[in-house]
Structures are given as C-alpha cells and as structure tokens.
C-alpha cells in the first residue's frame, strides 16, 4: 500500500526549485580559473595532495556545453553526518541534471553514509523513487552515517566498489570533515590512476562550513527558522504567563552561528556566544553572575520572566571547563589501559581522583550526568556535547546564586522559576525552506555538471545568495585551497578550517550593539513558522546572518 503523505507534502512535491539563470537557460560551460592555493601550510598540503593541489576555481559561464560530456555516465551520492534540511533536494538536483544531459545515465545512492561505500551497500535511484522525496526534509532517501573513509583497506574497498559500478563520480554531501574526506579520497583515486572523481557539497545546520567561496552550508536556513519559530512562541508564552525564565540550549557542536542567528531573529533577553566567552576567557561563575545580574535587573522592573539562549558548544569554550575537558582527555589518553575494562561509574571515580586544583572543583560542581558525559569521547575524539544539559546546569547555578544574593539581602523581590529546553533534533529534518530547497537543488545541479566535466577534488558552491536565485552564480572550489594543518589525535592533519562566529563580524557586532537593550526591555520578535507559499519577501528571505555578512558584497556583485 502506498504511504500516506500530508497535504502540504503533496503540494510541496510539485514545487519547482529555482536555479541560477545560467542553468535555467541551458547554455553553459565550466570555466577554470588560475591555480588556487591554501592560505597557510602550502608545502605540507602540496606534499599530501600532489595530484589535486593547485587546481583552479571553477565558475559556470555562458557557453555551448564545452567540456561537459553528453555520453551516459554513472554517478553516486553519499549523505554524510548529521541531517540537514535540503539534503534530498541536492540528490534530486543531481538526478535531474544527470538525466537531462543523457537519460541513459544512472544515479546510485550509497546507503547509511560513507560506510555504505566501504561495504558496497547501495541502490539505484529511479525517477519514481526520487520523486517521492522532492522538497522534503530528512535524509531517509538513502540514510546517513558518521563513518570515515580513512584506512588503506577502506580506501581500497571504496575504489573497488566504485569501479565495479563504473562510476564517473562520487558526490559526498557533508560538512567540513566529510569534504576533507572527499579530498583525501579524490587524491587517493587520482594517485591510483582510477577514473572515478570525487566532489563535495557543503552541508551542516551548524553553519560552520563557510568561507570566502562558500557563503553558507545548507540546512542552516531551515533549522534556524524552525528553532526561531519555537523560541518566538516561548517568548510570547513567557510574556503572557510572566512567571518563568526559559533556558534554551540550541544545537551547534562547536560554533554559535545557530544561537546567534536565532537571537537576531527573536531578540531574547540573553544569548551567550561561545566564541566571545573563549576570547574573554570567561569562567563558569562569571557566566552565572552575568545571567543572575540580568534576572535581578529585570525583577527590579517587575519582570520575573525571560528567555536565555545557550549554544550547545558552550562548555568547551568556558575557560575553566575547557581546561577540565583537556585534562580529562589527557587522562583518557595516558591511562587508556587502566580504564579499558572499567564500568562508567568506575571510570568516573578514577578520573575524579586524578583531577587536581580548580579543575577538580569545577568538575565536582557539575551534576553527575554531565560529569559522565565529559568523560566520554566519540569516534572522532569529540565530547558528545549535545548530551550535556548545559541549560539545566545554568538554571541550577543561577538559582543558587540568587539564593545567595537573597541571603545577603541583595535580591529582594526576585522570583526565579526556570524551565529548560533543548532544540536540536527538532530542526534537522524540517521541510526545507524555499531558500534551502532552491539552494540545495542548485548545489546538486552544479555537482552534476562538475561530474560531467570530469573534475575531481572540488566542493561545489553557489554564490550571491542574498540576491534572487536567477542572479546566483554556480561554481566549485578546489578542496585543497580550503585546507590548513591542525593537530588531530596528536598528529598534524589536513582539515577544512571550521568557521566560528567572528566577534569582529557584522552579525555579532549587530547583536552586541543591541543586547543590553534586549536584556531589560521586552524586544521579543515572533518570526512564526516557515512560509512556503505567499509573498517572496516572506517566503524567500535568507538568514539575517547571511544578509548582514553579504549585504555590501551582494550589492557590488549585482551592479556588475
Ligand atoms: P554535522 O556537523 O554532521 O552536520 O552535524 C551537526 C550536528 O547536528 C551538531 O549540531 C550536533 O552536535 C551533532 O550533529 C549531533 O550528532 P548526532 O546526530 O550524532 O547525535
């Protein structure tokens, strides 16, 4: 029996994503620029990527299809890492473009992430199958996974599987790590004389895969709009009930782009920005003092309610917690043998005994569940921060601080009743906004043209995105150009630099210029739900971050 779909999904399936004019008109060719190099660590990167180093940036310009094959080709797609709205449209864009160039071409999907390429777990994507996922959220079309293709055995298995399917190209849809992995795979295949090319597409709701060439990662737009709708609803509840402080943690493993964008959209009383906390060397108790001070100032105005936004990555940016995490990582590394067969609680006791001085004090001040999480590491060596209940921790510590102040007669009349929320998984599979639906389809379409051009080791991009879609410019950036060397698991490793919030950047500066007012006055804004139909100024609006970052450069480009 056919699966029932919602009325919105039915209508939305017919939505035709917008494309850059050059693709809509159909007369184009790739133009390869002068050799492009990374900003730093040139010699090391050249040594590691001799085949793909120094390639030129690509732009699609007017042409008659020069350099683009019209022969049937086979390409495969892989979804890698956390879900982000629009992933299905990347695949749909690849599918439509590949089939439009030659209906005999085939598109395969490796299932459950990069692990599918290693294990040869794939399916051929047919029109009927793909059509059911047009403009939908989620990655369930072929599913995702967090495996990395890194060992010689895994690289060799991928090569054999790709060649058996006679692939011209593999398109990896992922974040900074996955695009770095795409570059490693591209180099490996090129060095082995394989005909298979590898391309990347910038994905992540965290918004931290961006640079001069990549204006934004897909999914950030929809996820932040989804969270902002919920935050706006909570703000209205707070100012209606006038009795709760809401502490809302927002996803984003490291960077605070999600929290900052949501703050720009909803104007809460407080939004912590991890990057600023790190820059200033702020401690946990200083953060608690700051929040408690705003709570008291608002209480003095008769407002015993408010909204606080907290980025997920915060614990790793608070100076004393970061030191504690680093000391724990050291213990986990050095004493791996002793810890091997211990239960979770035995590990905790062992580590607690080893910590000294202020780190021990900070660690003891945390609830047991958070202490357990801080002693855990995932496959990539990351602390699983989405599981740390920072919002609850801050609620408790601010509550204690206010009790102290009251005992000293300094917080008379302050009522502090707090509720905690975590918005993360709620937004990652939302139906893509028009922006993400169009942007992702355009990225997929561009990736297909790069596959037809037989280019390898590139991440595709679509630029000029604060302008209407027909002014968008499609192209690709050599991954080696975006690499720098960083210490990973104790070794210098080539990686795409994660874009953190810049405290000198326009989005943060605008926020910082407003936050004192937002803290005390009620300036809440209620963005409402994502609109798919209606006036363009409501339905096609990019994020405030993108508008603030690109406003001037957008004008310059459009005048040309
Ligand atoms: P990606 O970087 O893979 O896009 O994932 C981002 C993210 O949503 C983070 O915001 C969050 O910390 C993490 O994934 C959660 O991971 P998991 O899905 O494995 O729980």
């Amino acid at each position: 029996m056919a699966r029932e779909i919602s009325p919105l999904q039915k209508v939305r399936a017919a939505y035709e994503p917008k494309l850059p004019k050059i693709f809509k008109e159909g007369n184009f060719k790739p133009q390869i620029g002068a050799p492009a190099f990374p900003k730093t660590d040139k010699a090391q990167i050249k040594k590691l990527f001799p085949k793909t180093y120094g390639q030129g940036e690509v732009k699609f310009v007017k042409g008659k299809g020069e350099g683009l094959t019209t022969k049937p080709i086979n390409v495969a797609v892989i979804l890698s890492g956390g879900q982000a709205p629009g992933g299905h449209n990347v695949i749909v864009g690849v599918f439509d473009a590949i089939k439009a160039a030659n209906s005999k071409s085939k598109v395969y999907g490796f299932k459950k992430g990069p692990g599918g390429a290693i294990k040869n777990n794939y399916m051929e994507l047919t029109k009927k199958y793909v059509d059911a996922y047009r403009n939908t959220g989620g990655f369930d079309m072929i599913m995702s996974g967090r495996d990395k293709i890194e060992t010689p055995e895994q690289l060799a298995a991928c090569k054999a599987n790709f060649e058996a399917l006679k692939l011209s190209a593999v398109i990896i849809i992922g974040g900074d790590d996955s695009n770095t992995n795409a570059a490693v795979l591209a180099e490996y295949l090129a060095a082995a004389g394989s005909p298979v090319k590898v391309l990347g597409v910038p994905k992540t709701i965290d918004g931290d895969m961006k640079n001069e060439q990549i204006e934004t990662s897909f999914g950030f737009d929809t996820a932040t709009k989804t969270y902002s709708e919920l935050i706006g609803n909570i703000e209205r509840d707070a100012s209606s009930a006038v009795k709760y402080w809401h502490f809302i943690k927002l996803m984003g493993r490291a960077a605070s782009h999600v929290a900052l964008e949501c703050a720009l959209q909803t104007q809460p009383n407080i939004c912590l920005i991890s990057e600023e906390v790190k820059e200033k060397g702020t401690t946990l108790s200083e953060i608690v003092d700051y929040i408690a001070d705003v709570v008291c100032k608002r209480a003095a105005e008769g407002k015993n309610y408010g909204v606080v936004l907290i980025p997920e990555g915060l614990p790793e940016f608070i100076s004393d917690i970061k030191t504690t995490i680093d000391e724990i990582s050291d213990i986990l590394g050095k004493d791996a043998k002793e810890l091997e067969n211990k239960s979770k609680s035995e590990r905790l006791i062992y580590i607690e005994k080893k910590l000294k001085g202020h780190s021990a004090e900070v660690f003891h001040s945390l609830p047991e569940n958070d202490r357990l999480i801080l002693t855990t590491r995932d496959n990539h060596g990351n602390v699983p921060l989405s599981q740390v209940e920072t919002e609850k921790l801050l609620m408790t510590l601010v509550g204690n601080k206010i009790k102290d102040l009251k005992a000293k007669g300094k917080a008379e009349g302050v009522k502090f009743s707090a509720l905690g929320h975590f918005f993360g998984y709620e937004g990652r599979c939302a139906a893509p906004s028009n922006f993400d639906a169009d942007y992702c389809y355009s990225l997929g379409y561009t990736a297909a043209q790069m596959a037809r051009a037989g280019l390898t080791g590139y991440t595709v991009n679509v630029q000029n995105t604060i302008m209407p879609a027909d002014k968008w410019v499609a192209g690709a950036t050599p991954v080696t150009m975006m690499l720098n060397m960083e210490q990973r698991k104790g070794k210098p490793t080539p990686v795409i630099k994660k874009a953190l919030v810049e405290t000198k950047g326009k989005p943060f500066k605008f926020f910082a210029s407003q936050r004192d007012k937002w803290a005390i006055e009620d300036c809440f804004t209620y963005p409402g739900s994502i609109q798919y139909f209606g006036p363009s100024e409501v339905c096609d609006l990019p994020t405030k971050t993108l508008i603030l970052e690109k406003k001037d450069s957008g004008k310059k480009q459009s005048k040309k």
Side-chain angles (χ1 to χ4, degrees):
M1 214 175 70
R3 197 167 173 182
E4 196 175 328
I5 60 169
S6 69
L8 175 65
Q9 195 182 326
K10 204 178 273 173
V11 179
R12 192 71 182 147
Y15 175 77
E16 280 183 36
K18 301 179 203 83
L19 275 174
K21 197 167 169 192
I22 200 137
F23 289 151
K24 234 167 46 189
E25 291 177 342
N27 300 318
F28 55 87
K29 64 172 183 187
Q31 186 180 67
I32 303 178
F37 305 104
K39 285 197 176 132
T40 55
D41 309 314
K42 290 186 179 62
Q44 282 148 292
I45 294 164
K46 184 175 181 188
K47 199 167 166 206
L48 291 166
F49 295 88
K51 294 277 178 195
T52 51
Y53 185 83
Q55 305 196 95
E57 289 184 76
V58 175
K59 283 273 163 289
F60 284 91
V61 296
K62 276 201 169 151
K64 296 195 175 97
E66 297 92 327
L68 297 171
T69 187
T70 50
K71 288 190 187 143
I73 57 170
N74 295 347
V75 303
V77 291
I78 299 175
L79 290 168
S80 179
Q83 285 67 256
H88 286 160
N89 266 26
V90 175
I91 300 178
V92 174
V94 170
F95 185 89
D96 286 355
I98 288 288
K99 294 281 184 184
N102 190 312
S103 61
K104 291 200 180 75
S105 290
K106 289 183 179 172
V107 181
Y108 295 97
F110 283 110
K111 291 159 108 179
K112 299 189 189 167
I118 301 168
K119 294 182 196 131
N120 209 23
N121 182 11
Y122 70 89
M123 66 184 291
E124 185 181 342
L125 303 177
T126 60
K127 178 159 173 12
K128 187 167 175 232
Y129 188 74
V130 163
D131 278 351
Y133 292 95
R134 284 179 191 268
N135 308 307
T136 58
F139 277 8
D140 44 325
M141 185 199 276
I142 51 170
M143 297 161 281
S144 188
R146 288 200 182 275
D147 292 305
K148 244 182 166 179
I149 304 167
E150 53 186 350
T151 66
E153 295 75 25
Q154 291 167 337
L155 287 160
C158 286
K159 177 176 176 292
N161 297 336
F162 297 165
E163 289 176 0
L165 280 174
K166 297 196 168 38
L167 297 180
S168 294
V170 175
I171 298 165
I172 300 181
I173 303 163
D176 50 339
D177 268 346
S178 307
N179 276 271
T180 303
N181 213 204
V184 170
L185 194 54
E187 180 67 29
Y188 170 84
L189 293 170
S194 171
V196 187
K197 315 291 189 229
V198 186
L199 302 161
V201 178
K203 169 235 70 165
T204 178
I205 63 153
D206 292 3
D208 57 9
M209 187 172 168
K210 61 177 173 182
N211 49 42
E212 279 158 36
Q213 292 77 29
I214 296 166
E215 295 187 353
T216 184
S217 55
F218 80 74
F220 178 69
D221 186 272
T222 311
T224 53
K225 284 176 179 159
T226 305
Y227 303 141
S228 297
E229 180 204 352
L230 299 175
I231 296 163
N233 295 350
I234 286 180
E235 287 179 340
R236 209 152 215 164
D237 199 287
S239 48
S240 304
V242 295
K243 62 177 179 183
Y244 292 127
W245 270 89
H246 294 269
F247 283 58
I248 306 172
K249 185 175 81 163
L250 291 157
M251 229 178 209
R253 189 195 294 284
S256 307
H257 297 293
V258 172
L260 179 57
E261 172 62 23
C262 291
L264 295 172
Q265 287 191 34
T266 62
Q267 306 188 174
N269 305 109
I270 294 174
C271 175
L272 302 172
I273 300 295
S274 308
E275 291 80 346
E276 183 188 30
V277 165
K278 183 175 178 187
E279 245 173 62
K280 293 188 171 163
T282 313
T283 61
L284 183 57
S285 67
E286 284 167 342
I287 290 176
V288 171
D289 289 352
Y290 166 61
I291 302 174
D293 184 51
V294 174
V295 169
C296 292
K297 283 186 176 141
R298 282 179 65 80
E301 308 254 320
K303 298 171 188 166
N304 285 301
Y305 60 90
V307 171
V308 183
L309 303 187
I310 303 153
E312 175 187 322
L314 185 70
E316 277 194 311
F317 289 75
I318 299 175
S319 62
D320 40 6
I321 297 197
K322 167 85 175 112
T323 311
T324 312
I325 290 176
D326 288 348
E327 283 179 23
I328 294 172
S329 295
D330 259 11
I331 300 169
L332 291 174
K334 281 193 197 128
D335 298 359
K337 269 228 151 71
E338 288 87 333
L339 288 162
E340 214 168 45
N341 296 317
K342 288 201 188 315
S343 69
K344 274 187 182 174
S345 50
E346 287 168 343
R347 281 160 64 90
L348 189 60
I349 296 168
Y350 182 92
I351 289 166
E352 274 179 331
K353 276 192 192 143
K354 288 253 161 175
L355 287 171
K356 299 268 168 316
H358 189 56
S359 294
E361 257 170 56
V362 171
F363 198 63
H364 282 301
S365 73
L366 304 176
E368 181 172 348
N369 189 43
D370 291 345
R371 275 182 280 150
L372 274 172
I373 294 163
L374 293 188
T375 58
T376 309
R377 300 290 178 272
D378 70 10
N379 292 342
H380 299 260
N382 296 317
V383 180
L385 288 174
S386 63
Q387 293 169 35
V388 177
E389 295 184 312
T390 325
E391 71 286 13
K392 298 212 175 119
L393 172 69
L394 289 176
M395 277 158 55
T396 310
L397 297 177
V398 171
N400 293 343
K401 176 81 196 179
I402 287 170
K403 264 189 222 147
D404 280 0
L405 290 171
K406 279 192 171 177
K408 291 177 189 149
K410 290 185 182 166
E412 270 158 41
V414 177
K415 290 188 194 133
F416 181 71
S417 176
L419 296 173
H421 314 261
F422 170 36
F423 298 151
Y425 299 97
E426 294 80 350
R428 297 201 310 181
C429 286
S433 61
N434 282 357
F435 178 87
D436 270 329
D438 299 344
Y439 183 53
C440 289
Y441 189 78
S442 300
L443 287 169
Y445 216 89
T446 310
Q449 307 313 334
M450 291 293 290
R452 291 179 64 204
L455 295 164
T456 196
Y458 282 86
T459 296
V460 298
N461 62 48
V462 169
Q463 299 172 343
N464 213 18
T465 50
I466 61 164
M467 301 305 288
D470 64 353
K471 292 208 166 68
W472 290 1
V473 179
T477 309
V479 185
T480 50
M481 187 186 168
M482 300 187 282
L483 296 176
N484 75 148
M485 300 300 289
E486 287 176 23
Q487 283 297 115
R488 293 282 163 97
K489 294 185 191 163
K491 274 198 311 203
T493 310
V495 286
I496 296 176
K497 204 173 171 55
K498 226 181 233 317
L500 299 180
V501 168
E502 284 177 22
T503 53
K504 292 192 175 65
K506 288 182 191 163
F508 178 82
K509 276 190 168 168
F510 178 76
F511 159 73
S513 71
Q514 302 296 311
R515 65 177 153 192
D516 291 345
K517 186 169 145 208
W518 296 352
I520 309 303
E521 294 170 30
D522 279 357
C523 302
F524 301 149
T525 44
Y526 314 113
S529 59
I530 293 174
Q531 301 296 307
Y532 301 100
F533 306 101
S536 183
E537 66 268 27
V538 180
C539 299
D540 300 326
L541 211 60
T543 57
K544 289 195 184 279
T545 303
L546 196 52
I547 295 173
L548 285 165
E549 281 175 348
K550 299 287 168 194
K551 206 158 49 191
D552 300 330
S553 61
K555 271 188 203 143
K556 263 181 241 146
Q557 284 187 40
S558 68
K559 272 185 198 156
K560 277 181 196 165

